[in-house]
Amino acid sequence: MSSLKGQLTYAAYAAGWGAVKKLPEPVAVRLGRTIADLAWKRRGKGVRRLESNYARVLPDATPERLAELSRAGMRSYLRYWMESFRLPVWSKERIKGGFDGKDLHYLTEGLAAGNGVILALPHLGNWDLAGAWVTTELETSFTTVAERLEPEKLYDRFVAHREGLGMEVLPHSGGTAFGTLARRLREGGLVCLVADRDLSASGVEVKFFGEATRMPAGPALLAQQTGALLLPVTLWFDDSPVMRGRVHPPVDVPESGSRAEKTSVMTQALADAFATGIADHPEDWHMLQRLWLADLEPRSGPADGESRSGPPGGERP
């Protein structure tokens, strides 16, 4: 990415962080909705891809229904950004009251057992708010990974933002993240990973809404190697200021099979849990990029032929 483009990207996100934090919450909500509607009306590449992905989730939907859904999806996506920008100025009480989860006992009992817990999530709802709730309400820090972005100072700012919310953030590149995550789990810690998109050569092929895609092997491999509990989580919004969520039943390690076979079975189980949450709340699935293998073009560069210049559309850094 050119130096000028990098500077402009950083300036745009820095301005968002600075301005949105200072706005009263109702004003920030209206601003986010306005920006979302303008982006939707322009029908850029991200909006068109969002509709295409929704068509996989709802194959019988009419064009009118898909357009309606993509508008709601863009509003949900901008809600994610507006809330995330404002999290550093939210009080502890606001963060605690900003999330309402079902079946949280899987998480709390898993942490109490002391063998480590892995939470695996899709790009659904607001991952940052859920993480802030964990560190605030449960008073439990956790470790996650983030893909390096260009420009570097934008990546550094995202890392500092999340560390300020009580998270330990490891760079995805460099080859050391897996070992650190495994150590945290063996110490009885919590690891949280966004896990619905991995188009690298190491991704595990799964069936997702009836078609093939690849998802990361990391959650399943960590569970096998450390004995930690693997829990899928799905999140969604409603018309209130409170985000909802569900912790799904544990994904068990199969009793037999090779490591690759076990990883395949476990990753498919994650995909099935993600699909359940996405089908129930498709407008809150912020996938503005190509996902299914049938949509990909031959490539020799980045995993999907798209640059990693700033937060890709629908993918959280």
Side-chain angles (χ1 to χ4, degrees), residues 63-137:
E64 292 77 15
R65 170 59 177 145
L66 291 174
E68 177 186 88
L69 194 57
S70 68
R71 183 179 189 181
M74 291 303 296
R75 288 181 171 184
S76 174
Y77 185 40
L78 263 295
R79 175 174 172 174
Y80 158 74
W81 281 111
M82 290 293 173
E83 289 184 351
S84 293
F85 284 151
R86 290 178 54 78
L87 276 174
V89 298
W90 279 13
S91 66
K92 288 185 177 181
E93 290 70 26
R94 176 67 179 88
I95 292 173
K96 291 179 180 180
F99 175 69
D100 178 38
K102 299 179 180 179
D103 297 327
L104 294 170
H105 64 93
Y106 289 121
L107 171 57
T108 55
E109 291 170 3
L111 291 171
N115 297 320
V117 175
I118 306 158
L119 297 181
L121 308 89
H123 288 82
L124 194 64
N126 189 337
W127 184 95
D128 287 312
L129 173 55
W133 183 88
V134 167
T135 61
T136 305
E137 175 66 23

Side-chain angles (χ1 to χ4, degrees), residues 5 16 20 22 24 34 39 53 95 106 108 117 133-134 166 172 174 194 207 214 223 240 261 268 273 301:
K5 185 177 179 182
V20 172
K22 298 176 183 178
T34 299
N53 289 338
I95 292 173
Y106 289 121
T108 55
V117 175
W133 183 88
V134 167
H172 186 272
V194 179
K207 285 291 184 181
R214 285 192 289 268
S240 77
E261 290 169 339
Q268 183 63 61

Side-chain angles (χ1 to χ4, degrees), residues 53-59 205-215 268 271-276 278-279 285 291-295:
N53 289 338
Y54 286 158
R56 290 316 211 302
V57 178
L58 299 172
E205 187 167 321
V206 297
K207 285 291 184 181
F208 195 51
F209 292 101
E211 293 192 44
T213 187
R214 285 192 289 268
M215 294 188 180
Q268 183 63 61
D272 293 342
F274 295 164
T276 297
I278 292 167
W285 188 41
L291 179 71
W292 281 273
L293 302 187
D295 292 337

Side-chain angles (χ1 to χ4, degrees), residues 29-50:
V29 170
R30 290 196 297 271
L31 176 61
R33 179 163 291 199
T34 299
I35 295 172
D37 287 348
L38 288 173
W40 178 77
K41 289 177 181 177
R42 289 180 58 193
R43 291 196 58 79
K45 181 171 65 175
V47 173
R48 297 195 304 273
R49 175 54 56 190
L50 186 64

